[in-house]
Amino acid sequence: MNFKPKFTNFKKKVEESFQRQKFMELIHAKLIDVKPGYCEIQIPYNSTLTQQHGFFHAGIISTIADNAAGYAGFSLMEEDSSVLTVEFKLNLMSPGDGDLLIAKANVLKNGRTLTICRSEVFIRKNGVEKLCAASQTTLIELKNKSDK
């Protein structure tokens, strides 16, 4: 889908918001791409982010899916708005067994208050990407509320 942002500096607003998230820094997440209604975030493998089998923990997988969806939706919101997740559903389809976790999120519907997004989370191992999770997220736009 082709979405049009509501203001020209949407990408800078998303980048600045992402930089303020200390948890993203803690898990070494990187904001890779932001376009109107789209976001990609990646996390390199680190053993501190794993569960007992050495795979990326489901909590990390759900975090990256949620954040990518949030910023995909945020890219279409008003300049003076903030965003919060209202609900999300995550399906884990294969283990997060690889060297890079990649979340790609797209807006499905951009409403006046609620935005619906879909995230797909891939794991890269030996140069091959495999879908490991998918989620659907509902976001709320908090109008006239600073993201800072």
Short mmCIF file of all heavy atoms in Angstrom, two decimals, residues 76-138:
data_model
loop_
_atom_site.label_atom_id
_atom_site.label_comp_id
_atom_site.label_asym_id
_atom_site.label_seq_id
_atom_site.Cartn_x
_atom_site.Cartn_y
_atom_site.Cartn_z
N LEU A 76 3.05 7.48 10.17
CA LEU A 76 1.88 8.06 9.52
C LEU A 76 1.07 8.96 10.45
O LEU A 76 0.04 9.50 10.05
CB LEU A 76 0.97 6.95 8.99
CG LEU A 76 1.60 6.01 7.96
CD1 LEU A 76 0.62 4.90 7.60
CD2 LEU A 76 2.04 6.78 6.73
N MET A 77 1.52 9.13 11.68
CA MET A 77 0.76 9.90 12.65
C MET A 77 1.12 11.38 12.60
O MET A 77 2.12 11.76 12.02
CB MET A 77 0.95 9.31 14.05
CG MET A 77 0.38 7.92 14.16
SD MET A 77 0.58 7.20 15.79
CE MET A 77 -0.14 5.58 15.51
N GLU A 78 0.27 12.18 13.25
CA GLU A 78 0.48 13.63 13.29
C GLU A 78 1.80 13.96 13.97
O GLU A 78 2.29 13.21 14.82
CB GLU A 78 -0.66 14.30 14.06
CG GLU A 78 -2.04 14.10 13.47
CD GLU A 78 -2.30 14.94 12.22
OE1 GLU A 78 -1.53 15.88 11.94
OE2 GLU A 78 -3.27 14.62 11.52
N GLU A 79 2.36 15.10 13.62
CA GLU A 79 3.65 15.53 14.15
C GLU A 79 3.63 15.67 15.67
O GLU A 79 4.60 15.36 16.35
CB GLU A 79 4.06 16.86 13.51
CG GLU A 79 5.44 17.30 13.85
CD GLU A 79 5.91 18.49 13.03
OE1 GLU A 79 5.09 19.11 12.33
OE2 GLU A 79 7.10 18.81 13.12
N ASP A 80 2.50 16.10 16.23
CA ASP A 80 2.42 16.33 17.68
C ASP A 80 1.80 15.15 18.42
O ASP A 80 1.32 15.29 19.54
CB ASP A 80 1.64 17.61 17.97
CG ASP A 80 0.20 17.55 17.49
OD1 ASP A 80 -0.15 16.62 16.73
OD2 ASP A 80 -0.58 18.43 17.87
N SER A 81 1.84 13.97 17.80
CA SER A 81 1.25 12.78 18.41
C SER A 81 2.32 11.84 18.96
O SER A 81 3.49 11.94 18.62
CB SER A 81 0.43 12.00 17.37
OG SER A 81 -0.73 12.70 17.04
N SER A 82 1.85 10.92 19.77
CA SER A 82 2.66 9.82 20.26
C SER A 82 1.92 8.52 19.96
O SER A 82 0.77 8.56 19.53
CB SER A 82 2.90 9.98 21.77
OG SER A 82 3.83 9.03 22.21
N VAL A 83 2.56 7.40 20.19
CA VAL A 83 1.96 6.11 19.85
C VAL A 83 2.12 5.13 21.01
O VAL A 83 3.12 5.17 21.72
CB VAL A 83 2.60 5.53 18.56
CG1 VAL A 83 4.09 5.28 18.75
CG2 VAL A 83 1.89 4.29 18.09
N LEU A 84 1.13 4.29 21.17
CA LEU A 84 1.19 3.18 22.14
C LEU A 84 0.55 1.95 21.51
O LEU A 84 -0.41 2.07 20.74
CB LEU A 84 0.44 3.51 23.42
CG LEU A 84 1.10 4.47 24.40
CD1 LEU A 84 0.16 4.75 25.57
CD2 LEU A 84 2.41 3.92 24.91
N THR A 85 1.07 0.79 21.87
CA THR A 85 0.45 -0.46 21.45
C THR A 85 -0.75 -0.73 22.34
O THR A 85 -0.66 -0.64 23.56
CB THR A 85 1.46 -1.62 21.56
OG1 THR A 85 2.56 -1.34 20.69
CG2 THR A 85 0.83 -2.95 21.18
N VAL A 86 -1.86 -1.09 21.71
CA VAL A 86 -3.08 -1.44 22.44
C VAL A 86 -3.16 -2.96 22.60
O VAL A 86 -3.55 -3.47 23.64
CB VAL A 86 -4.33 -0.92 21.68
CG1 VAL A 86 -5.61 -1.39 22.33
CG2 VAL A 86 -4.29 0.59 21.59
N GLU A 87 -2.78 -3.66 21.53
CA GLU A 87 -2.90 -5.12 21.54
C GLU A 87 -1.99 -5.69 20.46
O GLU A 87 -1.78 -5.06 19.42
CB GLU A 87 -4.35 -5.50 21.24
CG GLU A 87 -4.61 -6.97 21.08
CD GLU A 87 -6.06 -7.27 20.74
OE1 GLU A 87 -6.62 -6.60 19.86
OE2 GLU A 87 -6.60 -8.20 21.34
N PHE A 88 -1.42 -6.87 20.71
CA PHE A 88 -0.78 -7.58 19.61
C PHE A 88 -0.83 -9.08 19.84
O PHE A 88 -0.90 -9.56 20.96
CB PHE A 88 0.64 -7.07 19.32
CG PHE A 88 1.72 -7.48 20.28
CD1 PHE A 88 2.52 -8.59 20.02
CD2 PHE A 88 2.00 -6.73 21.40
CE1 PHE A 88 3.55 -8.95 20.87
CE2 PHE A 88 3.03 -7.07 22.25
CZ PHE A 88 3.80 -8.19 21.99
N LYS A 89 -0.84 -9.78 18.73
CA LYS A 89 -0.87 -11.24 18.71
C LYS A 89 0.37 -11.70 17.97
O LYS A 89 0.66 -11.20 16.89
CB LYS A 89 -2.12 -11.71 17.98
CG LYS A 89 -2.07 -13.12 17.46
CD LYS A 89 -2.74 -14.08 18.39
CE LYS A 89 -2.95 -15.44 17.76
NZ LYS A 89 -1.92 -16.38 18.05
N LEU A 90 1.10 -12.62 18.55
CA LEU A 90 2.33 -13.11 17.94
C LEU A 90 2.23 -14.61 17.72
O LEU A 90 1.83 -15.34 18.63
CB LEU A 90 3.52 -12.81 18.85
CG LEU A 90 4.88 -13.27 18.35
CD1 LEU A 90 5.38 -12.34 17.26
CD2 LEU A 90 5.88 -13.31 19.50
N ASN A 91 2.57 -15.04 16.53
CA ASN A 91 2.69 -16.46 16.22
C ASN A 91 4.16 -16.78 16.00
O ASN A 91 4.79 -16.21 15.11
CB ASN A 91 1.91 -16.84 14.96
CG ASN A 91 0.42 -16.72 15.16
OD1 ASN A 91 -0.17 -15.74 14.76
ND2 ASN A 91 -0.17 -17.70 15.80
N LEU A 92 4.70 -17.67 16.83
CA LEU A 92 6.07 -18.15 16.66
C LEU A 92 6.01 -19.37 15.75
O LEU A 92 5.30 -20.33 16.06
CB LEU A 92 6.68 -18.51 18.01
CG LEU A 92 6.81 -17.33 18.98
CD1 LEU A 92 7.04 -17.83 20.40
CD2 LEU A 92 7.92 -16.40 18.53
N MET A 93 6.72 -19.32 14.63
CA MET A 93 6.61 -20.38 13.63
C MET A 93 7.84 -21.27 13.53
O MET A 93 7.74 -22.39 13.06
CB MET A 93 6.29 -19.77 12.27
CG MET A 93 4.90 -19.14 12.27
SD MET A 93 4.49 -18.43 10.72
CE MET A 93 4.90 -16.74 11.06
N SER A 94 8.98 -20.73 13.93
CA SER A 94 10.19 -21.54 13.97
C SER A 94 11.15 -20.88 14.96
O SER A 94 11.02 -19.69 15.26
CB SER A 94 10.83 -21.67 12.58
OG SER A 94 11.29 -20.44 12.10
N PRO A 95 12.12 -21.64 15.48
CA PRO A 95 13.03 -21.07 16.46
C PRO A 95 13.84 -19.90 15.91
O PRO A 95 14.16 -19.86 14.72
CB PRO A 95 13.95 -22.24 16.81
CG PRO A 95 13.20 -23.46 16.43
CD PRO A 95 12.36 -23.07 15.25
N GLY A 96 14.17 -18.98 16.79
CA GLY A 96 15.03 -17.85 16.43
C GLY A 96 16.48 -18.29 16.45
O GLY A 96 17.28 -17.79 17.24
N ASP A 97 16.81 -19.24 15.60
CA ASP A 97 18.13 -19.86 15.56
C ASP A 97 18.93 -19.27 14.40
O ASP A 97 18.79 -19.72 13.26
CB ASP A 97 17.98 -21.38 15.39
CG ASP A 97 19.31 -22.11 15.34
OD1 ASP A 97 20.33 -21.53 15.78
OD2 ASP A 97 19.33 -23.26 14.86
N GLY A 98 19.75 -18.26 14.70
CA GLY A 98 20.54 -17.63 13.65
C GLY A 98 21.37 -16.49 14.18
O GLY A 98 21.46 -16.28 15.38
N ASP A 99 21.96 -15.74 13.25
CA ASP A 99 22.87 -14.66 13.64
C ASP A 99 22.27 -13.27 13.57
O ASP A 99 22.88 -12.31 14.01
CB ASP A 99 24.15 -14.73 12.81
CG ASP A 99 23.89 -14.66 11.32
OD1 ASP A 99 23.29 -13.70 10.85
OD2 ASP A 99 24.32 -15.60 10.61
N LEU A 100 21.06 -13.15 13.02
CA LEU A 100 20.43 -11.84 12.91
C LEU A 100 18.92 -11.99 12.92
O LEU A 100 18.36 -12.82 12.20
CB LEU A 100 20.86 -11.14 11.61
CG LEU A 100 20.39 -9.71 11.41
CD1 LEU A 100 21.07 -8.76 12.42
CD2 LEU A 100 20.69 -9.25 9.98
N LEU A 101 18.27 -11.19 13.76
CA LEU A 101 16.81 -11.15 13.82
C LEU A 101 16.37 -9.90 13.06
O LEU A 101 16.90 -8.81 13.28
CB LEU A 101 16.40 -11.05 15.30
CG LEU A 101 15.02 -11.51 15.71
CD1 LEU A 101 14.76 -12.95 15.31
CD2 LEU A 101 14.85 -11.33 17.21
N ILE A 102 15.39 -10.06 12.16
CA ILE A 102 14.96 -8.97 11.29
C ILE A 102 13.45 -8.84 11.36
O ILE A 102 12.74 -9.79 11.04
CB ILE A 102 15.37 -9.25 9.82
CG1 ILE A 102 16.86 -9.51 9.71
CG2 ILE A 102 14.91 -8.12 8.90
CD1 ILE A 102 17.27 -10.25 8.44
N ALA A 103 12.96 -7.68 11.77
CA ALA A 103 11.51 -7.43 11.80
C ALA A 103 11.17 -6.42 10.71
O ALA A 103 11.81 -5.37 10.61
CB ALA A 103 11.07 -6.90 13.15
N LYS A 104 10.16 -6.75 9.92
CA LYS A 104 9.66 -5.87 8.88
C LYS A 104 8.17 -5.70 9.12
O LYS A 104 7.44 -6.69 9.19
CB LYS A 104 9.90 -6.47 7.50
CG LYS A 104 11.38 -6.71 7.21
CD LYS A 104 11.58 -7.39 5.87
CE LYS A 104 13.06 -7.65 5.63
NZ LYS A 104 13.31 -8.29 4.32
N ALA A 105 7.75 -4.45 9.28
CA ALA A 105 6.34 -4.19 9.60
C ALA A 105 5.73 -3.24 8.59
O ALA A 105 6.37 -2.30 8.12
CB ALA A 105 6.22 -3.60 11.00
N ASN A 106 4.46 -3.51 8.28
CA ASN A 106 3.69 -2.68 7.37
C ASN A 106 2.36 -2.31 8.00
O ASN A 106 1.74 -3.14 8.69
CB ASN A 106 3.38 -3.45 6.07
CG ASN A 106 4.59 -3.66 5.23
OD1 ASN A 106 5.08 -2.73 4.61
ND2 ASN A 106 5.11 -4.88 5.22
N VAL A 107 1.91 -1.11 7.73
CA VAL A 107 0.58 -0.70 8.15
C VAL A 107 -0.44 -1.36 7.23
O VAL A 107 -0.30 -1.32 6.00
CB VAL A 107 0.44 0.85 8.10
CG1 VAL A 107 -1.01 1.27 8.30
CG2 VAL A 107 1.34 1.49 9.16
N LEU A 108 -1.46 -1.96 7.82
CA LEU A 108 -2.56 -2.52 7.05
C LEU A 108 -3.70 -1.52 6.92
O LEU A 108 -4.32 -1.41 5.86
CB LEU A 108 -3.09 -3.79 7.73
CG LEU A 108 -2.08 -4.93 7.89
CD1 LEU A 108 -2.70 -6.08 8.68
CD2 LEU A 108 -1.59 -5.41 6.54
N LYS A 109 -3.99 -0.82 8.02
CA LYS A 109 -5.05 0.20 8.02
C LYS A 109 -4.63 1.33 8.94
O LYS A 109 -4.29 1.10 10.09
CB LYS A 109 -6.37 -0.37 8.49
CG LYS A 109 -7.49 0.67 8.43
CD LYS A 109 -8.82 0.13 8.89
CE LYS A 109 -9.95 1.09 8.69
NZ LYS A 109 -9.79 2.43 9.19
N ASN A 110 -4.68 2.53 8.41
CA ASN A 110 -4.34 3.71 9.18
C ASN A 110 -5.63 4.48 9.45
O ASN A 110 -6.14 5.17 8.56
CB ASN A 110 -3.34 4.57 8.40
CG ASN A 110 -2.90 5.79 9.15
OD1 ASN A 110 -2.82 5.77 10.36
ND2 ASN A 110 -2.63 6.85 8.44
N GLY A 111 -6.16 4.35 10.66
CA GLY A 111 -7.41 5.03 11.00
C GLY A 111 -7.16 6.35 11.71
O GLY A 111 -6.02 6.77 11.91
N ARG A 112 -8.24 7.01 12.10
CA ARG A 112 -8.12 8.30 12.78
C ARG A 112 -7.49 8.16 14.16
O ARG A 112 -6.75 9.02 14.60
CB ARG A 112 -9.48 8.98 12.91
CG ARG A 112 -9.98 9.57 11.62
CD ARG A 112 -11.29 10.26 11.81
NE ARG A 112 -12.28 9.22 12.14
CZ ARG A 112 -13.39 9.43 12.82
NH1 ARG A 112 -13.68 10.63 13.25
NH2 ARG A 112 -14.20 8.45 13.08
N THR A 113 -7.81 7.06 14.84
CA THR A 113 -7.28 6.83 16.19
C THR A 113 -6.48 5.54 16.27
O THR A 113 -5.42 5.50 16.87
CB THR A 113 -8.42 6.78 17.22
OG1 THR A 113 -9.18 7.99 17.12
CG2 THR A 113 -7.89 6.64 18.63
N LEU A 114 -6.99 4.47 15.66
CA LEU A 114 -6.33 3.17 15.71
C LEU A 114 -5.67 2.84 14.37
O LEU A 114 -6.21 3.14 13.31
CB LEU A 114 -7.33 2.07 16.06
CG LEU A 114 -8.00 2.18 17.43
CD1 LEU A 114 -8.99 1.03 17.62
CD2 LEU A 114 -6.98 2.20 18.55
N THR A 115 -4.51 2.22 14.46
CA THR A 115 -3.77 1.77 13.28
C THR A 115 -3.47 0.29 13.46
O THR A 115 -3.05 -0.14 14.54
CB THR A 115 -2.46 2.57 13.13
OG1 THR A 115 -2.79 3.94 12.92
CG2 THR A 115 -1.64 2.07 11.96
N ILE A 116 -3.68 -0.48 12.40
CA ILE A 116 -3.44 -1.92 12.43
C ILE A 116 -2.21 -2.22 11.57
O ILE A 116 -2.12 -1.76 10.43
CB ILE A 116 -4.65 -2.72 11.89
CG1 ILE A 116 -5.96 -2.24 12.51
CG2 ILE A 116 -4.43 -4.22 12.08
CD1 ILE A 116 -6.04 -2.30 14.00
N CYS A 117 -1.28 -3.00 12.13
CA CYS A 117 -0.03 -3.33 11.43
C CYS A 117 0.21 -4.84 11.45
O CYS A 117 -0.26 -5.54 12.33
CB CYS A 117 1.17 -2.67 12.10
SG CYS A 117 1.10 -0.88 12.13
N ARG A 118 0.99 -5.27 10.49
CA ARG A 118 1.45 -6.66 10.45
C ARG A 118 2.98 -6.64 10.46
O ARG A 118 3.60 -5.90 9.71
CB ARG A 118 0.97 -7.37 9.19
CG ARG A 118 1.52 -8.77 9.05
CD ARG A 118 0.90 -9.51 7.88
NE ARG A 118 1.53 -10.80 7.68
CZ ARG A 118 1.32 -11.88 8.41
NH1 ARG A 118 0.49 -11.83 9.42
NH2 ARG A 118 1.93 -13.01 8.14
N SER A 119 3.55 -7.45 11.33
CA SER A 119 5.01 -7.61 11.38
C SER A 119 5.37 -9.04 11.00
O SER A 119 4.68 -9.99 11.40
CB SER A 119 5.55 -7.36 12.79
OG SER A 119 5.33 -6.04 13.20
N GLU A 120 6.45 -9.16 10.28
CA GLU A 120 7.04 -10.47 10.02
C GLU A 120 8.46 -10.42 10.56
O GLU A 120 9.19 -9.45 10.31
CB GLU A 120 7.04 -10.79 8.52
CG GLU A 120 5.64 -10.98 7.98
CD GLU A 120 5.62 -11.33 6.51
OE1 GLU A 120 6.45 -10.79 5.75
OE2 GLU A 120 4.78 -12.15 6.13
N VAL A 121 8.83 -11.44 11.32
CA VAL A 121 10.16 -11.50 11.91
C VAL A 121 10.89 -12.68 11.28
O VAL A 121 10.39 -13.80 11.28
CB VAL A 121 10.09 -11.65 13.44
CG1 VAL A 121 11.51 -11.68 14.03
CG2 VAL A 121 9.27 -10.52 14.06
N PHE A 122 12.06 -12.37 10.74
CA PHE A 122 12.88 -13.36 10.08
C PHE A 122 14.14 -13.61 10.89
O PHE A 122 14.62 -12.73 11.60
CB PHE A 122 13.29 -12.87 8.68
CG PHE A 122 12.13 -12.60 7.78
CD1 PHE A 122 11.51 -11.35 7.79
CD2 PHE A 122 11.65 -13.58 6.92
CE1 PHE A 122 10.42 -11.09 6.96
CE2 PHE A 122 10.58 -13.32 6.09
CZ PHE A 122 9.96 -12.08 6.10
N ILE A 123 14.66 -14.81 10.76
CA ILE A 123 15.96 -15.14 11.34
C ILE A 123 16.90 -15.41 10.17
O ILE A 123 16.52 -16.06 9.21
CB ILE A 123 15.87 -16.35 12.30
CG1 ILE A 123 17.16 -16.53 13.09
CG2 ILE A 123 15.47 -17.61 11.60
CD1 ILE A 123 17.39 -15.52 14.16
N ARG A 124 18.10 -14.85 10.25
CA ARG A 124 19.10 -15.12 9.21
C ARG A 124 20.14 -16.06 9.77
O ARG A 124 20.71 -15.82 10.85
CB ARG A 124 19.77 -13.84 8.74
CG ARG A 124 20.70 -14.08 7.52
CD ARG A 124 21.45 -12.85 7.15
NE ARG A 124 22.50 -12.65 8.16
CZ ARG A 124 23.19 -11.52 8.29
NH1 ARG A 124 22.97 -10.49 7.52
NH2 ARG A 124 24.12 -11.43 9.23
N LYS A 125 20.37 -17.14 9.05
CA LYS A 125 21.39 -18.12 9.44
C LYS A 125 22.11 -18.57 8.17
O LYS A 125 21.47 -18.96 7.20
CB LYS A 125 20.75 -19.32 10.14
CG LYS A 125 21.76 -20.31 10.68
CD LYS A 125 21.09 -21.39 11.49
CE LYS A 125 22.13 -22.30 12.12
NZ LYS A 125 21.49 -23.31 12.98
N ASN A 126 23.44 -18.47 8.20
CA ASN A 126 24.25 -18.83 7.03
C ASN A 126 23.80 -18.10 5.77
O ASN A 126 23.76 -18.67 4.68
CB ASN A 126 24.23 -20.35 6.81
CG ASN A 126 24.77 -21.11 7.99
OD1 ASN A 126 25.72 -20.67 8.64
ND2 ASN A 126 24.15 -22.23 8.31
N GLY A 127 23.41 -16.83 5.93
CA GLY A 127 23.02 -16.00 4.79
C GLY A 127 21.61 -16.23 4.27
O GLY A 127 21.19 -15.58 3.32
N VAL A 128 20.87 -17.14 4.90
CA VAL A 128 19.51 -17.45 4.45
C VAL A 128 18.51 -16.91 5.47
O VAL A 128 18.64 -17.17 6.67
CB VAL A 128 19.33 -18.98 4.28
CG1 VAL A 128 17.90 -19.32 3.89
CG2 VAL A 128 20.32 -19.52 3.26
N GLU A 129 17.51 -16.17 4.99
CA GLU A 129 16.44 -15.66 5.86
C GLU A 129 15.27 -16.63 5.88
O GLU A 129 14.86 -17.15 4.84
CB GLU A 129 15.95 -14.29 5.37
CG GLU A 129 16.92 -13.19 5.65
CD GLU A 129 16.39 -11.81 5.25
OE1 GLU A 129 15.16 -11.65 5.09
OE2 GLU A 129 17.23 -10.92 5.08
N LYS A 130 14.74 -16.84 7.09
CA LYS A 130 13.60 -17.73 7.28
C LYS A 130 12.61 -17.03 8.19
O LYS A 130 12.99 -16.45 9.21
CB LYS A 130 14.08 -19.04 7.91
CG LYS A 130 12.99 -20.04 8.19
CD LYS A 130 13.58 -21.29 8.83
CE LYS A 130 12.50 -22.29 9.16
NZ LYS A 130 13.04 -23.49 9.80
N LEU A 131 11.34 -17.10 7.84
CA LEU A 131 10.29 -16.52 8.69
C LEU A 131 10.22 -17.29 10.00
O LEU A 131 10.10 -18.52 9.99
CB LEU A 131 8.95 -16.57 7.95
CG LEU A 131 7.77 -15.90 8.65
CD1 LEU A 131 7.99 -14.39 8.73
CD2 LEU A 131 6.49 -16.20 7.88
N CYS A 132 10.33 -16.58 11.12
CA CYS A 132 10.24 -17.27 12.40
C CYS A 132 9.03 -16.82 13.22
O CYS A 132 8.61 -17.52 14.14
CB CYS A 132 11.53 -17.17 13.20
SG CYS A 132 11.89 -15.60 13.96
N ALA A 133 8.45 -15.65 12.90
CA ALA A 133 7.29 -15.18 13.65
C ALA A 133 6.52 -14.15 12.82
O ALA A 133 7.07 -13.50 11.94
CB ALA A 133 7.71 -14.56 14.98
N ALA A 134 5.24 -14.03 13.15
CA ALA A 134 4.40 -13.01 12.54
C ALA A 134 3.46 -12.47 13.61
O ALA A 134 3.06 -13.20 14.52
CB ALA A 134 3.59 -13.59 11.38
N SER A 135 3.14 -11.20 13.49
CA SER A 135 2.23 -10.61 14.47
C SER A 135 1.30 -9.62 13.82
O SER A 135 1.58 -9.09 12.73
CB SER A 135 3.02 -9.91 15.60
OG SER A 135 3.60 -8.72 15.13
N GLN A 136 0.21 -9.38 14.49
CA GLN A 136 -0.71 -8.32 14.13
C GLN A 136 -0.85 -7.42 15.34
O GLN A 136 -1.03 -7.91 16.46
CB GLN A 136 -2.08 -8.85 13.70
CG GLN A 136 -3.00 -7.74 13.24
CD GLN A 136 -4.18 -8.25 12.47
OE1 GLN A 136 -4.01 -8.96 11.49
NE2 GLN A 136 -5.38 -7.90 12.90
N THR A 137 -0.75 -6.12 15.11
CA THR A 137 -0.68 -5.15 16.20
C THR A 137 -1.70 -4.05 16.00
O THR A 137 -1.87 -3.56 14.88
CB THR A 137 0.74 -4.53 16.27
OG1 THR A 137 1.69 -5.58 16.39
CG2 THR A 137 0.88 -3.57 17.42
N THR A 138 -2.35 -3.64 17.08
CA THR A 138 -3.22 -2.47 17.06
C THR A 138 -2.53 -1.38 17.87
O THR A 138 -2.11 -1.60 19.00
CB THR A 138 -4.59 -2.79 17.70
OG1 THR A 138 -5.18 -3.89 17.00
CG2 THR A 138 -5.52 -1.59 17.63
#
